[in-house]
Short mmCIF file of all heavy atoms in Angstrom, two decimals:
data_model
loop_
_atom_site.label_atom_id
_atom_site.label_comp_id
_atom_site.label_asym_id
_atom_site.label_seq_id
_atom_site.Cartn_x
_atom_site.Cartn_y
_atom_site.Cartn_z
N VAL U 26 -120.51 -89.52 -82.66
CA VAL U 26 -120.83 -90.68 -83.46
C VAL U 26 -121.68 -90.27 -84.64
O VAL U 26 -121.47 -90.76 -85.74
CB VAL U 26 -121.55 -91.75 -82.60
CG1 VAL U 26 -122.04 -92.90 -83.43
CG2 VAL U 26 -120.66 -92.22 -81.50
N LEU U 27 -122.61 -89.37 -84.45
CA LEU U 27 -123.48 -88.94 -85.53
C LEU U 27 -122.68 -88.19 -86.59
O LEU U 27 -122.89 -88.39 -87.79
CB LEU U 27 -124.60 -88.05 -84.98
CG LEU U 27 -125.62 -87.57 -86.02
CD1 LEU U 27 -126.30 -88.78 -86.68
CD2 LEU U 27 -126.64 -86.67 -85.39
N SER U 28 -121.75 -87.37 -86.20
CA SER U 28 -120.97 -86.62 -87.17
C SER U 28 -120.06 -87.55 -87.99
O SER U 28 -119.84 -87.33 -89.18
CB SER U 28 -120.13 -85.55 -86.48
OG SER U 28 -119.20 -86.14 -85.62
N PHE U 29 -119.56 -88.62 -87.36
CA PHE U 29 -118.75 -89.59 -88.09
C PHE U 29 -119.57 -90.28 -89.15
O PHE U 29 -119.16 -90.44 -90.30
CB PHE U 29 -118.13 -90.60 -87.11
CG PHE U 29 -117.28 -91.63 -87.80
CD1 PHE U 29 -116.03 -91.28 -88.30
CD2 PHE U 29 -117.71 -92.93 -87.91
CE1 PHE U 29 -115.24 -92.22 -88.93
CE2 PHE U 29 -116.94 -93.88 -88.54
CZ PHE U 29 -115.69 -93.53 -89.05
N SER U 30 -120.81 -90.69 -88.79
CA SER U 30 -121.70 -91.35 -89.74
C SER U 30 -122.07 -90.40 -90.87
O SER U 30 -122.12 -90.79 -92.03
CB SER U 30 -122.97 -91.82 -89.03
OG SER U 30 -122.65 -92.77 -88.04
N ALA U 31 -122.33 -89.15 -90.53
CA ALA U 31 -122.67 -88.17 -91.55
C ALA U 31 -121.48 -87.95 -92.48
O ALA U 31 -121.65 -87.82 -93.70
CB ALA U 31 -123.11 -86.86 -90.90
N GLY U 32 -120.30 -87.92 -91.93
CA GLY U 32 -119.09 -87.74 -92.73
C GLY U 32 -118.89 -88.90 -93.70
O GLY U 32 -118.53 -88.70 -94.85
N LEU U 33 -119.11 -90.12 -93.21
CA LEU U 33 -119.00 -91.29 -94.08
C LEU U 33 -120.04 -91.26 -95.20
O LEU U 33 -119.74 -91.60 -96.34
CB LEU U 33 -119.13 -92.56 -93.27
CG LEU U 33 -117.92 -92.99 -92.45
CD1 LEU U 33 -118.22 -94.27 -91.69
CD2 LEU U 33 -116.72 -93.18 -93.35
N ALA U 34 -121.24 -90.84 -94.88
CA ALA U 34 -122.30 -90.76 -95.88
C ALA U 34 -121.95 -89.73 -96.95
O ALA U 34 -122.12 -89.98 -98.15
CB ALA U 34 -123.64 -90.41 -95.23
N ILE U 35 -121.44 -88.59 -96.55
CA ILE U 35 -121.04 -87.55 -97.50
C ILE U 35 -119.90 -88.04 -98.37
O ILE U 35 -119.88 -87.85 -99.59
CB ILE U 35 -120.68 -86.25 -96.77
CG1 ILE U 35 -121.94 -85.64 -96.16
CG2 ILE U 35 -120.01 -85.25 -97.69
CD1 ILE U 35 -121.69 -84.48 -95.22
N LEU U 36 -118.93 -88.70 -97.76
CA LEU U 36 -117.79 -89.23 -98.51
C LEU U 36 -118.25 -90.28 -99.52
O LEU U 36 -117.78 -90.30 -100.66
CB LEU U 36 -116.78 -89.85 -97.55
CG LEU U 36 -115.48 -90.36 -98.15
CD1 LEU U 36 -114.72 -89.23 -98.82
CD2 LEU U 36 -114.64 -91.01 -97.09
N ALA U 37 -119.18 -91.13 -99.12
CA ALA U 37 -119.70 -92.16 -100.04
C ALA U 37 -120.40 -91.51 -101.24
O ALA U 37 -120.23 -91.96 -102.38
CB ALA U 37 -120.67 -93.08 -99.30
N VAL U 38 -121.16 -90.46 -100.99
CA VAL U 38 -121.85 -89.76 -102.09
C VAL U 38 -120.83 -89.10 -103.01
O VAL U 38 -120.95 -89.16 -104.24
CB VAL U 38 -122.84 -88.72 -101.52
CG1 VAL U 38 -123.36 -87.81 -102.62
CG2 VAL U 38 -123.99 -89.44 -100.83
N LEU U 39 -119.80 -88.50 -102.46
CA LEU U 39 -118.80 -87.81 -103.27
C LEU U 39 -117.97 -88.78 -104.11
O LEU U 39 -117.58 -88.47 -105.22
CB LEU U 39 -117.87 -86.98 -102.38
CG LEU U 39 -118.50 -85.76 -101.73
CD1 LEU U 39 -117.49 -85.11 -100.79
CD2 LEU U 39 -118.98 -84.77 -102.76
N LEU U 40 -117.70 -89.98 -103.58
CA LEU U 40 -116.88 -90.95 -104.31
C LEU U 40 -117.68 -91.83 -105.25
O LEU U 40 -117.09 -92.48 -106.11
CB LEU U 40 -116.14 -91.84 -103.31
CG LEU U 40 -115.02 -91.16 -102.51
CD1 LEU U 40 -114.39 -92.14 -101.55
CD2 LEU U 40 -113.99 -90.56 -103.44
N SER U 41 -119.00 -91.83 -105.15
CA SER U 41 -119.80 -92.73 -105.99
C SER U 41 -119.69 -92.36 -107.47
O SER U 41 -119.66 -93.24 -108.32
CB SER U 41 -121.27 -92.73 -105.56
OG SER U 41 -121.85 -91.45 -105.77
N GLY U 42 -119.57 -91.08 -107.79
CA GLY U 42 -119.45 -90.68 -109.20
C GLY U 42 -118.15 -91.18 -109.82
O GLY U 42 -118.19 -91.85 -110.86
N PRO U 43 -116.99 -90.89 -109.24
CA PRO U 43 -115.73 -91.37 -109.81
C PRO U 43 -115.64 -92.91 -109.85
O PRO U 43 -115.08 -93.47 -110.78
CB PRO U 43 -114.66 -90.80 -108.89
CG PRO U 43 -115.30 -89.61 -108.27
CD PRO U 43 -116.75 -89.93 -108.17
N VAL U 44 -116.21 -93.58 -108.84
CA VAL U 44 -116.18 -95.04 -108.83
C VAL U 44 -116.99 -95.57 -110.00
O VAL U 44 -116.56 -96.49 -110.72
CB VAL U 44 -116.70 -95.59 -107.49
CG1 VAL U 44 -116.93 -97.08 -107.57
CG2 VAL U 44 -115.74 -95.25 -106.37
N ARG U 45 -118.17 -95.03 -110.23
CA ARG U 45 -118.99 -95.46 -111.35
C ARG U 45 -118.28 -95.20 -112.67
O ARG U 45 -118.34 -96.01 -113.59
CB ARG U 45 -120.34 -94.74 -111.34
CG ARG U 45 -121.28 -95.29 -110.34
CD ARG U 45 -122.67 -94.73 -110.55
NE ARG U 45 -123.45 -94.97 -109.35
CZ ARG U 45 -124.27 -94.11 -108.81
NH1 ARG U 45 -124.43 -92.92 -109.35
NH2 ARG U 45 -124.94 -94.42 -107.71
N GLN U 46 -117.63 -94.06 -112.79
CA GLN U 46 -116.90 -93.75 -114.02
C GLN U 46 -115.77 -94.73 -114.26
O GLN U 46 -115.53 -95.15 -115.39
CB GLN U 46 -116.36 -92.31 -113.98
CG GLN U 46 -117.45 -91.26 -114.10
CD GLN U 46 -116.89 -89.86 -113.96
OE1 GLN U 46 -115.74 -89.66 -113.57
NE2 GLN U 46 -117.71 -88.87 -114.27
N ALA U 47 -115.07 -95.11 -113.21
CA ALA U 47 -113.99 -96.08 -113.34
C ALA U 47 -114.52 -97.44 -113.73
O ALA U 47 -113.93 -98.14 -114.56
CB ALA U 47 -113.20 -96.16 -112.03
N GLN U 48 -115.66 -97.84 -113.14
CA GLN U 48 -116.26 -99.12 -113.50
C GLN U 48 -116.69 -99.12 -114.95
O GLN U 48 -116.49 -100.10 -115.68
CB GLN U 48 -117.45 -99.42 -112.60
CG GLN U 48 -117.08 -99.75 -111.18
CD GLN U 48 -118.29 -99.84 -110.26
OE1 GLN U 48 -119.37 -99.32 -110.58
NE2 GLN U 48 -118.12 -100.49 -109.13
N TYR U 49 -117.28 -98.02 -115.41
CA TYR U 49 -117.72 -97.90 -116.80
C TYR U 49 -116.54 -97.98 -117.74
O TYR U 49 -116.58 -98.66 -118.76
CB TYR U 49 -118.49 -96.58 -117.00
CG TYR U 49 -118.90 -96.35 -118.43
CD1 TYR U 49 -119.95 -97.06 -118.99
CD2 TYR U 49 -118.23 -95.42 -119.21
CE1 TYR U 49 -120.31 -96.84 -120.29
CE2 TYR U 49 -118.58 -95.20 -120.53
CZ TYR U 49 -119.63 -95.92 -121.06
OH TYR U 49 -119.99 -95.71 -122.37
N ALA U 50 -115.45 -97.31 -117.39
CA ALA U 50 -114.26 -97.31 -118.24
C ALA U 50 -113.67 -98.71 -118.32
O ALA U 50 -113.26 -99.16 -119.41
CB ALA U 50 -113.24 -96.32 -117.71
N ALA U 51 -113.61 -99.42 -117.21
CA ALA U 51 -113.08 -100.78 -117.20
C ALA U 51 -113.95 -101.71 -118.04
O ALA U 51 -113.43 -102.54 -118.79
CB ALA U 51 -112.99 -101.30 -115.77
N ARG U 52 -115.25 -101.55 -117.94
CA ARG U 52 -116.17 -102.38 -118.73
C ARG U 52 -116.01 -102.09 -120.23
O ARG U 52 -116.01 -102.98 -121.06
CB ARG U 52 -117.61 -102.11 -118.30
CG ARG U 52 -118.59 -103.18 -118.62
CD ARG U 52 -119.90 -102.89 -117.95
NE ARG U 52 -119.69 -101.70 -117.15
CZ ARG U 52 -120.49 -101.15 -116.29
NH1 ARG U 52 -121.62 -101.65 -116.07
NH2 ARG U 52 -120.23 -100.08 -115.61
N ARG U 53 -115.84 -100.80 -120.58
CA ARG U 53 -115.66 -100.41 -121.97
C ARG U 53 -114.38 -101.02 -122.54
O ARG U 53 -114.36 -101.52 -123.65
CB ARG U 53 -115.62 -98.90 -122.08
CG ARG U 53 -115.63 -98.39 -123.51
CD ARG U 53 -115.70 -96.86 -123.59
NE ARG U 53 -114.51 -96.29 -122.97
CZ ARG U 53 -114.53 -95.40 -121.99
NH1 ARG U 53 -115.68 -94.96 -121.50
NH2 ARG U 53 -113.41 -94.91 -121.49
N VAL U 54 -113.29 -100.99 -121.76
CA VAL U 54 -112.03 -101.58 -122.21
C VAL U 54 -112.20 -103.08 -122.42
O VAL U 54 -111.72 -103.64 -123.41
CB VAL U 54 -110.90 -101.29 -121.21
CG1 VAL U 54 -109.67 -102.12 -121.48
CG2 VAL U 54 -110.57 -99.80 -121.21
N SER U 55 -112.88 -103.73 -121.50
CA SER U 55 -113.11 -105.18 -121.62
C SER U 55 -113.92 -105.51 -122.87
O SER U 55 -113.59 -106.43 -123.61
CB SER U 55 -113.83 -105.68 -120.37
OG SER U 55 -114.19 -107.03 -120.53
N HIS U 56 -114.97 -104.74 -123.13
CA HIS U 56 -115.80 -104.98 -124.32
C HIS U 56 -115.01 -104.73 -125.59
O HIS U 56 -115.15 -105.48 -126.55
CB HIS U 56 -117.05 -104.10 -124.27
CG HIS U 56 -118.01 -104.50 -123.20
ND1 HIS U 56 -119.15 -103.79 -122.91
CD2 HIS U 56 -118.01 -105.52 -122.33
CE1 HIS U 56 -119.81 -104.35 -121.92
NE2 HIS U 56 -119.11 -105.42 -121.55
N ASN U 57 -114.20 -103.67 -125.61
CA ASN U 57 -113.38 -103.39 -126.79
C ASN U 57 -112.42 -104.52 -127.04
O ASN U 57 -112.18 -104.91 -128.20
CB ASN U 57 -112.63 -102.08 -126.63
CG ASN U 57 -113.53 -100.88 -126.83
OD1 ASN U 57 -114.63 -101.00 -127.38
ND2 ASN U 57 -113.08 -99.73 -126.38
N CYS U 58 -111.85 -105.10 -125.99
CA CYS U 58 -110.92 -106.23 -126.15
C CYS U 58 -111.65 -107.44 -126.72
O CYS U 58 -111.15 -108.10 -127.62
CB CYS U 58 -110.29 -106.57 -124.80
SG CYS U 58 -109.07 -107.88 -124.89
N SER U 59 -112.86 -107.70 -126.24
CA SER U 59 -113.64 -108.81 -126.74
C SER U 59 -113.98 -108.62 -128.21
O SER U 59 -113.89 -109.56 -129.02
CB SER U 59 -114.93 -108.98 -125.93
OG SER U 59 -114.63 -109.30 -124.61
N LEU U 60 -114.39 -107.41 -128.59
CA LEU U 60 -114.72 -107.14 -129.99
C LEU U 60 -113.48 -107.27 -130.87
O LEU U 60 -113.58 -107.79 -132.00
CB LEU U 60 -115.31 -105.74 -130.12
CG LEU U 60 -116.73 -105.58 -129.59
CD1 LEU U 60 -117.14 -104.12 -129.61
CD2 LEU U 60 -117.70 -106.43 -130.37
N LYS U 61 -112.34 -106.88 -130.39
CA LYS U 61 -111.10 -107.01 -131.14
C LYS U 61 -110.80 -108.49 -131.37
O LYS U 61 -110.40 -108.90 -132.46
CB LYS U 61 -109.95 -106.32 -130.43
CG LYS U 61 -108.65 -106.37 -131.17
CD LYS U 61 -107.55 -105.65 -130.42
CE LYS U 61 -106.23 -105.74 -131.17
NZ LYS U 61 -105.15 -105.05 -130.46
N GLN U 62 -110.98 -109.31 -130.34
CA GLN U 62 -110.71 -110.74 -130.47
C GLN U 62 -111.67 -111.40 -131.47
O GLN U 62 -111.27 -112.26 -132.24
CB GLN U 62 -110.85 -111.43 -129.10
CG GLN U 62 -109.71 -111.11 -128.16
CD GLN U 62 -109.90 -111.74 -126.80
OE1 GLN U 62 -110.98 -112.11 -126.40
NE2 GLN U 62 -108.79 -111.86 -126.08
N ILE U 63 -112.94 -110.97 -131.47
CA ILE U 63 -113.89 -111.50 -132.44
C ILE U 63 -113.47 -111.11 -133.85
O ILE U 63 -113.51 -111.93 -134.77
CB ILE U 63 -115.33 -111.01 -132.13
CG1 ILE U 63 -115.83 -111.66 -130.84
CG2 ILE U 63 -116.26 -111.32 -133.29
CD1 ILE U 63 -117.13 -111.07 -130.31
N GLY U 64 -113.08 -109.86 -134.03
CA GLY U 64 -112.62 -109.42 -135.34
C GLY U 64 -111.40 -110.18 -135.82
O GLY U 64 -111.32 -110.58 -136.99
N LEU U 65 -110.43 -110.42 -134.92
CA LEU U 65 -109.26 -111.18 -135.29
C LEU U 65 -109.62 -112.63 -135.66
O LEU U 65 -109.08 -113.20 -136.61
CB LEU U 65 -108.23 -111.17 -134.14
CG LEU U 65 -107.52 -109.85 -133.91
CD1 LEU U 65 -106.70 -109.92 -132.65
CD2 LEU U 65 -106.64 -109.51 -135.10
N ALA U 66 -110.54 -113.22 -134.91
CA ALA U 66 -110.98 -114.59 -135.20
C ALA U 66 -111.66 -114.65 -136.57
O ALA U 66 -111.42 -115.59 -137.35
CB ALA U 66 -111.92 -115.09 -134.12
N MET U 67 -112.46 -113.66 -136.89
CA MET U 67 -113.12 -113.62 -138.19
C MET U 67 -112.09 -113.52 -139.33
O MET U 67 -112.19 -114.20 -140.33
CB MET U 67 -114.10 -112.44 -138.27
CG MET U 67 -115.26 -112.53 -137.30
SD MET U 67 -116.48 -113.71 -137.82
CE MET U 67 -117.39 -112.74 -138.96
N HIS U 68 -111.11 -112.68 -139.13
CA HIS U 68 -110.10 -112.52 -140.18
C HIS U 68 -109.16 -113.72 -140.27
O HIS U 68 -108.70 -114.06 -141.38
CB HIS U 68 -109.33 -111.21 -139.98
CG HIS U 68 -110.11 -110.03 -140.45
ND1 HIS U 68 -110.19 -109.68 -141.77
CD2 HIS U 68 -110.90 -109.17 -139.78
CE1 HIS U 68 -110.98 -108.62 -141.90
NE2 HIS U 68 -111.42 -108.29 -140.69
N ASN U 69 -108.90 -114.38 -139.17
CA ASN U 69 -108.14 -115.65 -139.22
C ASN U 69 -108.92 -116.69 -140.01
O ASN U 69 -108.33 -117.43 -140.81
CB ASN U 69 -107.82 -116.15 -137.83
CG ASN U 69 -106.74 -115.36 -137.14
OD1 ASN U 69 -105.93 -114.70 -137.78
ND2 ASN U 69 -106.72 -115.42 -135.82
N TYR U 70 -110.22 -116.77 -139.78
CA TYR U 70 -111.07 -117.70 -140.53
C TYR U 70 -111.02 -117.34 -142.01
O TYR U 70 -110.91 -118.21 -142.87
CB TYR U 70 -112.52 -117.63 -140.00
CG TYR U 70 -113.42 -118.69 -140.57
CD1 TYR U 70 -113.66 -119.86 -139.86
CD2 TYR U 70 -114.05 -118.53 -141.80
CE1 TYR U 70 -114.51 -120.83 -140.35
CE2 TYR U 70 -114.90 -119.49 -142.30
CZ TYR U 70 -115.11 -120.64 -141.58
OH TYR U 70 -115.94 -121.61 -142.09
N LEU U 71 -111.09 -116.06 -142.33
CA LEU U 71 -111.02 -115.59 -143.70
C LEU U 71 -109.69 -115.99 -144.36
O LEU U 71 -109.66 -116.43 -145.51
CB LEU U 71 -111.19 -114.07 -143.75
CG LEU U 71 -111.04 -113.40 -145.12
CD1 LEU U 71 -112.18 -113.83 -146.03
CD2 LEU U 71 -111.03 -111.89 -144.96
N ASP U 72 -108.59 -115.84 -143.63
CA ASP U 72 -107.28 -116.21 -144.17
C ASP U 72 -107.19 -117.70 -144.48
O ASP U 72 -106.62 -118.09 -145.50
CB ASP U 72 -106.16 -115.81 -143.20
CG ASP U 72 -105.94 -114.33 -143.12
OD1 ASP U 72 -106.39 -113.59 -144.05
OD2 ASP U 72 -105.33 -113.88 -142.13
N VAL U 73 -107.75 -118.54 -143.62
CA VAL U 73 -107.66 -119.98 -143.79
C VAL U 73 -108.63 -120.48 -144.85
O VAL U 73 -108.27 -121.25 -145.73
CB VAL U 73 -107.91 -120.70 -142.44
CG1 VAL U 73 -108.03 -122.20 -142.65
CG2 VAL U 73 -106.79 -120.37 -141.47
N ASP U 74 -109.88 -120.05 -144.80
CA ASP U 74 -110.93 -120.60 -145.66
C ASP U 74 -111.30 -119.70 -146.85
O ASP U 74 -112.17 -120.05 -147.63
CB ASP U 74 -112.18 -120.89 -144.85
CG ASP U 74 -111.96 -121.97 -143.81
OD1 ASP U 74 -111.12 -122.85 -144.08
OD2 ASP U 74 -112.61 -121.95 -142.77
N GLU U 75 -110.66 -118.55 -146.93
CA GLU U 75 -110.88 -117.59 -148.02
C GLU U 75 -112.33 -117.11 -148.11
O GLU U 75 -112.80 -116.74 -149.17
CB GLU U 75 -110.41 -118.17 -149.36
CG GLU U 75 -108.91 -118.46 -149.37
CD GLU U 75 -108.44 -119.07 -150.66
OE1 GLU U 75 -109.26 -119.36 -151.54
OE2 GLU U 75 -107.22 -119.25 -150.79
N THR U 76 -113.03 -117.13 -147.01
CA THR U 76 -114.38 -116.60 -146.91
C THR U 76 -114.69 -116.40 -145.43
O THR U 76 -114.06 -117.02 -144.58
CB THR U 76 -115.43 -117.53 -147.55
OG1 THR U 76 -116.71 -116.92 -147.47
CG2 THR U 76 -115.49 -118.88 -146.86
N PHE U 77 -115.62 -115.52 -145.15
CA PHE U 77 -116.06 -115.37 -143.77
C PHE U 77 -116.94 -116.56 -143.40
O PHE U 77 -117.51 -117.22 -144.26
CB PHE U 77 -116.81 -114.06 -143.58
CG PHE U 77 -115.91 -112.86 -143.50
CD1 PHE U 77 -115.90 -111.92 -144.52
CD2 PHE U 77 -115.05 -112.68 -142.43
CE1 PHE U 77 -115.07 -110.82 -144.47
CE2 PHE U 77 -114.20 -111.58 -142.37
CZ PHE U 77 -114.21 -110.65 -143.38
N PRO U 78 -117.07 -116.87 -142.14
CA PRO U 78 -117.86 -118.03 -141.73
C PRO U 78 -119.33 -117.88 -142.10
O PRO U 78 -119.87 -116.78 -142.05
CB PRO U 78 -117.68 -118.10 -140.22
CG PRO U 78 -117.18 -116.78 -139.80
CD PRO U 78 -116.50 -116.17 -140.98
N PRO U 79 -119.99 -118.97 -142.46
CA PRO U 79 -121.41 -118.91 -142.79
C PRO U 79 -122.24 -118.69 -141.51
O PRO U 79 -121.73 -118.91 -140.41
CB PRO U 79 -121.70 -120.28 -143.40
CG PRO U 79 -120.66 -121.17 -142.82
CD PRO U 79 -119.44 -120.32 -142.62
N PRO U 80 -123.50 -118.27 -141.66
CA PRO U 80 -124.34 -118.03 -140.47
C PRO U 80 -124.52 -119.28 -139.60
O PRO U 80 -124.67 -119.16 -138.39
CB PRO U 80 -125.68 -117.57 -141.03
CG PRO U 80 -125.43 -117.25 -142.46
CD PRO U 80 -124.18 -117.93 -142.89
N ALA U 81 -124.54 -120.46 -140.22
CA ALA U 81 -124.72 -121.71 -139.46
C ALA U 81 -123.83 -122.78 -140.06
O ALA U 81 -123.66 -122.83 -141.29
CB ALA U 81 -126.17 -122.15 -139.48
N VAL U 82 -123.25 -123.61 -139.21
CA VAL U 82 -122.38 -124.69 -139.67
C VAL U 82 -122.73 -125.97 -138.93
O VAL U 82 -123.19 -125.95 -137.81
CB VAL U 82 -120.88 -124.37 -139.44
CG1 VAL U 82 -120.44 -123.21 -140.29
CG2 VAL U 82 -120.59 -124.09 -137.99
N GLY U 83 -122.49 -127.11 -139.60
CA GLY U 83 -122.62 -128.41 -138.94
C GLY U 83 -124.03 -128.95 -138.91
O GLY U 83 -124.98 -128.32 -139.36
N ASP U 84 -124.11 -130.18 -138.39
CA ASP U 84 -125.41 -130.83 -138.23
C ASP U 84 -125.42 -131.45 -136.85
O ASP U 84 -124.67 -132.41 -136.61
CB ASP U 84 -125.62 -131.88 -139.31
CG ASP U 84 -127.02 -132.44 -139.29
OD1 ASP U 84 -127.95 -131.67 -138.95
OD2 ASP U 84 -127.19 -133.63 -139.58
N PRO U 85 -126.15 -131.01 -135.89
CA PRO U 85 -127.12 -129.92 -135.95
C PRO U 85 -126.44 -128.56 -136.13
O PRO U 85 -125.25 -128.42 -135.76
CB PRO U 85 -127.83 -129.98 -134.60
CG PRO U 85 -126.83 -130.61 -133.69
CD PRO U 85 -126.01 -131.55 -134.55
N PRO U 86 -127.14 -127.60 -136.71
CA PRO U 86 -126.49 -126.32 -137.01
C PRO U 86 -126.03 -125.58 -135.75
O PRO U 86 -126.72 -125.57 -134.73
CB PRO U 86 -127.60 -125.52 -137.71
CG PRO U 86 -128.82 -126.32 -137.66
CD PRO U 86 -128.53 -127.66 -137.10
N HIS U 87 -124.84 -125.03 -135.86
CA HIS U 87 -124.26 -124.18 -134.81
C HIS U 87 -124.01 -122.80 -135.38
O HIS U 87 -123.83 -122.63 -136.57
CB HIS U 87 -122.93 -124.77 -134.30
CG HIS U 87 -123.08 -126.11 -133.65
ND1 HIS U 87 -123.65 -126.31 -132.43
CD2 HIS U 87 -122.72 -127.34 -134.09
CE1 HIS U 87 -123.63 -127.58 -132.13
NE2 HIS U 87 -123.08 -128.23 -133.13
N SER U 88 -123.92 -121.83 -134.52
CA SER U 88 -123.69 -120.46 -134.90
C SER U 88 -122.30 -120.29 -135.52
O SER U 88 -121.40 -121.09 -135.29
CB SER U 88 -123.85 -119.56 -133.67
OG SER U 88 -123.39 -118.27 -133.93
N TRP U 89 -122.11 -119.21 -136.24
CA TRP U 89 -120.80 -118.86 -136.81
C TRP U 89 -119.76 -118.72 -135.70
O TRP U 89 -118.58 -118.90 -135.94
CB TRP U 89 -120.88 -117.58 -137.63
CG TRP U 89 -121.31 -116.38 -136.83
CD1 TRP U 89 -122.58 -115.91 -136.66
CD2 TRP U 89 -120.47 -115.54 -136.04
NE1 TRP U 89 -122.59 -114.84 -135.83
CE2 TRP U 89 -121.31 -114.56 -135.44
CE3 TRP U 89 -119.11 -115.47 -135.79
CZ2 TRP U 89 -120.81 -113.56 -134.60
CZ3 TRP U 89 -118.63 -114.48 -134.95
CH2 TRP U 89 -119.48 -113.53 -134.36
N ARG U 90 -120.21 -118.43 -134.47
CA ARG U 90 -119.27 -118.24 -133.36
C ARG U 90 -118.52 -119.52 -133.08
O ARG U 90 -117.36 -119.50 -132.66
CB ARG U 90 -120.00 -117.75 -132.12
CG ARG U 90 -120.55 -116.33 -132.32
CD ARG U 90 -121.42 -115.94 -131.19
NE ARG U 90 -122.65 -116.76 -131.28
CZ ARG U 90 -123.75 -116.50 -130.61
NH1 ARG U 90 -123.79 -115.49 -129.77
NH2 ARG U 90 -124.81 -117.25 -130.74
N VAL U 91 -119.16 -120.67 -133.34
CA VAL U 91 -118.48 -121.96 -133.13
C VAL U 91 -117.40 -122.15 -134.20
O VAL U 91 -116.33 -122.66 -133.93
CB VAL U 91 -119.49 -123.13 -133.18
CG1 VAL U 91 -118.81 -124.47 -133.12
CG2 VAL U 91 -120.52 -122.98 -132.07
N ALA U 92 -117.66 -121.65 -135.40
CA ALA U 92 -116.72 -121.82 -136.52
C ALA U 92 -115.43 -121.04 -136.28
O ALA U 92 -114.38 -121.45 -136.77
CB ALA U 92 -117.36 -121.38 -137.82
N VAL U 93 -115.48 -119.93 -135.57
CA VAL U 93 -114.29 -119.12 -135.39
C VAL U 93 -113.49 -119.49 -134.14
O VAL U 93 -112.44 -118.93 -133.88
CB VAL U 93 -114.62 -117.61 -135.35
CG1 VAL U 93 -115.23 -117.15 -136.64
CG2 VAL U 93 -115.49 -117.23 -134.16
N LEU U 94 -113.95 -120.49 -133.39
CA LEU U 94 -113.20 -120.93 -132.21
C LEU U 94 -111.89 -121.59 -132.68
O LEU U 94 -111.85 -122.22 -133.72
CB LEU U 94 -114.01 -121.94 -131.39
CG LEU U 94 -115.22 -121.38 -130.66
CD1 LEU U 94 -116.02 -122.51 -130.05
CD2 LEU U 94 -114.79 -120.40 -129.59
N PRO U 95 -110.82 -121.45 -131.89
CA PRO U 95 -109.56 -122.06 -132.30
C PRO U 95 -109.62 -123.58 -132.28
O PRO U 95 -110.40 -124.19 -131.64
CB PRO U 95 -108.55 -121.55 -131.28
CG PRO U 95 -109.32 -120.96 -130.16
CD PRO U 95 -110.71 -120.72 -130.65
#
């Protein structure tokens, strides 16, 4: 029983590095996708309004992020 527990502990330590790397890679891909979507939204706003969105819009003022929503 002790050797099985020790084996599981060693396996967990050995796999923790690759698992963390895979999680980091997945998070990086997700962030890149989000940044790409923000960039596309900004350029769509530019195409329609011939300017990038102002820092604040509306009353009460909202962030530029509200202006680029579809």
Side-chain angles (χ1 to χ4, degrees):
V26 173
L27 182 60
S28 63
F29 180 72
S30 298
L33 283 179
I35 291 170
L36 184 61
V38 169
L39 291 175
L40 291 178
S41 66
V44 169
R45 283 191 197 138
Q46 288 176 349
Q48 289 172 341
Y49 176 75
R52 201 171 357 188
R53 188 176 63 235
V54 168
S55 174
H56 291 175
N57 284 342
C58 183
S59 296
L60 288 172
K61 182 178 179 180
Q62 288 177 340
I63 290 171
L65 288 172
M67 295 286 277
H68 282 279
N69 285 338
Y70 189 97
L71 176 67
D72 288 341
V73 171
D74 295 330
E75 298 178 356
T76 183
F77 283 112
V82 294
D84 187 34
H87 297 288
S88 169
W89 61 267
R90 293 171 291 194
V91 174
V93 298
L94 291 173

